[in-house]
Amino acid sequence: MCSSDLHRRQPFNDGWLWRDKILTGDLAVLVGDEASGKTRVLADWIARVTSGQPFPGLAPGQTLPPSDVLVFNSVDDFERNVLTQVAASGGDPDRVLHATTQLLEWGHSHSEFPPPGSAPPGPAEVEPADTRVRLHTQTALTQLRQFLARRPSIRLVVIDNLKQHVRTDSERVFEECVSDLLAISRQTEVAFIVTQRPDAFRNAQGLAHYFKSPSLTSLARAIWRVTPPDNPQHGERVLQCLKLNHGSRDSGREPWRIWQIGRAHV
């Protein structure tokens, strides 16, 4: 590996993906109903990470250098609905890796990166890519941990629609999987962002209004809700901050705005 490629693959990390909001090693949750705009928000965040663009409220010097992103997504047309939106937001699609079972099986024991748009060597060349990675299995979790440890340039993992990748009826298995994902995030110093639709009874109070899982509500350092704004002047959607263990402020100059329970940041 040449020195320029080594520099590209090992960006300096000061500990913050989004200063005062998402720290590398954090588990964050993005919740919203179907078609609420979660994928568009994720594409915006991925674009910022892959291009080194600052997050809202930050100066250019307060962001990570361009870094790689691993995305678990088994529902959308990945190229059209994710990569195209990342590029439209000014990001670098070549820095986005689409997670598959074959990629983790190959990549946990190899340090190189497959060429953009190609499958990893081996069975994935002849087998259809399995995008519904079964993260509730210890094999997949171990491979994910090793995959990230071998690729320090990955600063963000996105698990879009967590329950598509944790296919279990056991609440205990689901809770253990959330704990394991947080442990991997901390061990590898990679931010994990998971998305989920509300799955709790709507007459519950607080975070229980959105989640049945106590692990998600207790272990996540930040929980954001994507929702249409009450005031159309605020754009197509707002991020309502349901939980934040770091400081919160909004530049007021972004196409979406940050709202916190009890008061609005505008």
Side-chain angles (χ1 to χ4, degrees), residues 132-149:
R132 187 168 292 183
V133 182
R134 294 159 181 79
L135 290 175
H136 55 280
T137 67
Q138 285 301 312
T139 297
L141 291 169
T142 298
Q143 291 174 344
L144 174 60
R145 180 183 294 106
Q146 295 171 342
F147 187 92
L148 295 175

Side-chain angles (χ1 to χ4, degrees), residues 40-131:
R40 292 191 62 182
V41 171
L42 285 175
D44 177 276
W45 290 2
I46 293 169
R48 294 175 190 272
V49 173
T50 57
S51 64
Q53 300 176 51
F55 274 76
L58 301 184
Q62 294 179 301
T63 184
L64 292 176
S67 306
D68 298 316
V69 178
L70 178 66
V71 180
F72 292 81
N73 181 299
S74 64
V75 179
D76 292 329
D77 180 332
F78 191 74
E79 182 172 353
R80 180 172 65 88
N81 292 341
V82 178
L83 295 183
T84 299
Q85 290 191 41
V86 168
S89 298
D92 183 355
D94 288 344
R95 284 191 173 274
V96 181
L97 292 173
H98 191 190
T100 64
T101 299
Q102 293 91 337
L103 179 66
L104 293 187
E105 288 176 348
W106 169 81
H108 82 279
S109 59
H110 296 77
S111 297
E112 64 268 28
F113 278 68
S118 67
E125 294 179 338
V126 295
E127 297 178 1
D130 181 9
T131 60

Side-chain angles (χ1 to χ4, degrees), residues 18-255:
W18 184 2
R19 187 170 298 279
D20 297 331
K21 297 178 179 65
I22 300 177
L23 186 68
T24 51
D26 276 358
L27 173 66
V29 181
L30 194 64
V31 62
D33 293 317
E34 186 176 3
S36 62
K38 296 188 298 296
T39 299
R40 292 191 62 182
V41 171
L42 285 175
D44 177 276
W45 290 2
I46 293 169
R48 294 175 190 272
V49 173
T50 57
S51 64
Q53 300 176 51
F55 274 76
L58 301 184
Q62 294 179 301
T63 184
L64 292 176
S67 306
D68 298 316
V69 178
L70 178 66
V71 180
F72 292 81
N73 181 299
S74 64
V75 179
D76 292 329
D77 180 332
F78 191 74
E79 182 172 353
R80 180 172 65 88
N81 292 341
V82 178
L83 295 183
T84 299
Q85 290 191 41
V86 168
S89 298
D92 183 355
D94 288 344
R95 284 191 173 274
V96 181
L97 292 173
H98 191 190
T100 64
T101 299
Q102 293 91 337
L103 179 66
L104 293 187
E105 288 176 348
W106 169 81
H108 82 279
S109 59
H110 296 77
S111 297
E112 64 268 28
F113 278 68
S118 67
E125 294 179 338
V126 295
E127 297 178 1
D130 181 9
T131 60
R132 187 168 292 183
V133 182
R134 294 159 181 79
L135 290 175
H136 55 280
T137 67
Q138 285 301 312
T139 297
L141 291 169
T142 298
Q143 291 174 344
L144 174 60
R145 180 183 294 106
Q146 295 171 342
F147 187 92
L148 295 175
R150 289 178 174 272
R151 293 163 180 80
S153 65
I154 296 176
R155 307 314 306 150
L156 174 63
V157 170
V158 171
I159 306 176
D160 197 6
N161 199 341
L162 177 61
K163 290 196 171 183
Q164 289 291 332
H165 301 281
V166 184
R167 307 287 288 183
T168 177
D169 294 327
S170 169
E171 293 184 8
R172 178 185 60 81
V173 172
F174 185 88
E175 302 302 307
E176 289 176 352
C177 181
V178 173
S179 297
D180 288 338
L181 291 173
L182 176 61
I184 294 172
S185 176
R186 289 176 173 172
Q187 292 167 5
T188 58
E189 294 187 345
V190 176
F192 275 53
I193 297 176
V194 304
T195 75
Q196 185 169 309
R197 298 175 187 171
D199 65 354
F201 294 108
R202 294 304 180 94
N203 59 352
Q205 299 297 314
L207 293 175
H209 182 76
Y210 304 99
F211 303 104
K212 290 189 296 186
S213 167
S215 293
L216 276 181
T217 57
S218 63
L219 298 180
R221 297 281 290 180
I223 299 177
W224 309 89
R225 177 186 175 221
V226 184
T227 182
D230 293 331
N231 187 338
Q233 292 183 348
H234 293 159
E236 296 180 0
R237 63 190 57 80
V238 296
L239 290 181
Q240 184 183 36
C241 186
L242 304 177
K243 176 183 178 181
L244 188 61
N245 287 2
H246 309 296
S248 177
R249 63 180 181 178
D250 178 28
S251 67
R253 298 186 297 272
E254 299 301 323

